[in-house]
Amino acid sequence: MKRILSLLVATTLSVFSITAQELENSTLWKIEGNGLEKPSYLFGTIHITCDATLEDDVKKALDETTQIVMELDMDDPSMQMKMMKGMYLKNGKTLKDFVSEEDYKTIDSLFINNMGMSVKMMENVKPFFLSSMFYPKMLDCPMQSFELELTKIAKEQKEEIYGLETIEEQIKVFDDIPLEDQYADLIRMAENNLEDDKDIFAKMLKVYKEENITALLDMMDDDKNKTVSNHQDKLLNERNENWISKIGEYAKDQPTFFGVGAGHLAGDNGVINLLRDAGYTVTAIVE
């Protein structure tokens, strides 16, 4: 359960990735140069999907590396406890303090129709946690995850797993975004009972399968979503910039397989471009 919860948080962050820069169609990239003795690899994941089967080139990259670094340390035994501590609104606030009575009923219906329970049980839970609960419902298949698959591989190969961020840092991203904008997005989800969101996810999965990381970013640029359109700096740019030095440290220590949401790869402020700016050679692995 702790891993599923962390994936939902990561998914919420990744679907908010925006900006674009034309790059080769690939979700796997080799990192070389800038003092690295051996190459490392950067793999763009999609946090929830219908098929998390790893392609042969990804498996080869895993064989050539000796540790796995994802957005979060997926085998951290304290993750669930830390996440639970950050789930709740402060100062006794609840959902009713931020939405109208009519919107409350709409959100309640969303929970009853899709979760089989009223939102009354979770009125004091932060909005991005409420929204993230519905991501598995947007798939028309049993949920799979590349992060869980990579965690399984790490155990089989007896390799360590590390994180570029802590769960507290991921939660803080949303703590820095006005609750009003987050509730507006939750209301939007509820008003059409996830239909628009299901359509977006279906298109996203198709584009991801094509490994078109630039198109993936383009299709996510939807100004209907206040959290996206108003707070791109917090959701994407600052996080990517913070990762670059950490990626360099891990890669210089030993050959590393990095797995992060594919939405972080492309764009002027994407991880690929930022690594190149830092002096690394980053090339697409294209079969």
Side-chain angles (χ1 to χ4, degrees), residues 1-56:
M1 177 58 71
K2 68 184 181 186
R3 291 172 180 164
I4 297 299
L5 287 171
S6 65
L7 285 172
L8 298 183
V9 174
T11 301
T12 306
L13 288 164
S14 288
V15 298
F16 294 151
S17 301
I18 304 174
T19 72
Q21 177 188 23
E22 197 66 38
L23 292 168
E24 295 95 326
N25 287 0
S26 179
T27 52
L28 183 64
W29 298 72
K30 181 184 286 190
I31 306 170
E32 299 174 289
N34 201 22
L36 299 185
E37 294 183 4
K38 295 182 179 180
S40 288
Y41 291 88
L42 175 66
F43 176 54
T45 70
I46 190 163
H47 297 303
I48 61 172
T49 182
C50 293
D51 183 6
T53 302
L54 298 175
E55 300 290 339
D56 289 342

Side-chain angles (χ1 to χ4, degrees), residues 188-189 191-201:
R188 176 187 52 77
M189 292 172 66
E191 286 177 338
N192 59 30
N193 195 33
L194 303 180
E195 288 307 311
D196 286 349
D197 300 271
K198 289 178 180 178
D199 182 56
I200 289 171
F201 254 80

Side-chain angles (χ1 to χ4, degrees), residues 162-196:
Y162 299 99
L164 293 170
E165 296 174 329
T166 64
I167 189 63
E168 293 96 336
E169 288 171 332
Q170 287 207 346
I171 291 173
K172 187 178 184 301
V173 171
F174 282 92
D175 286 345
D176 289 342
I177 293 173
L179 290 171
E180 290 80 1
D181 285 356
Q182 297 182 52
Y183 280 117
D185 292 331
L186 179 60
I187 293 167
R188 176 187 52 77
M189 292 172 66
E191 286 177 338
N192 59 30
N193 195 33
L194 303 180
E195 288 307 311
D196 286 349

Side-chain angles (χ1 to χ4, degrees), residues 121-146:
M121 305 293 293
M122 294 165 287
E123 287 181 351
N124 62 338
V125 173
K126 293 176 182 177
F128 87 89
F129 277 101
L130 295 178
S131 298
S132 67
M133 293 175 63
F134 293 98
Y135 283 110
K137 297 291 183 180
M138 296 176 195
L139 299 172
D140 59 358
C141 59
M143 189 186 86
Q144 296 185 28
S145 162
F146 283 105

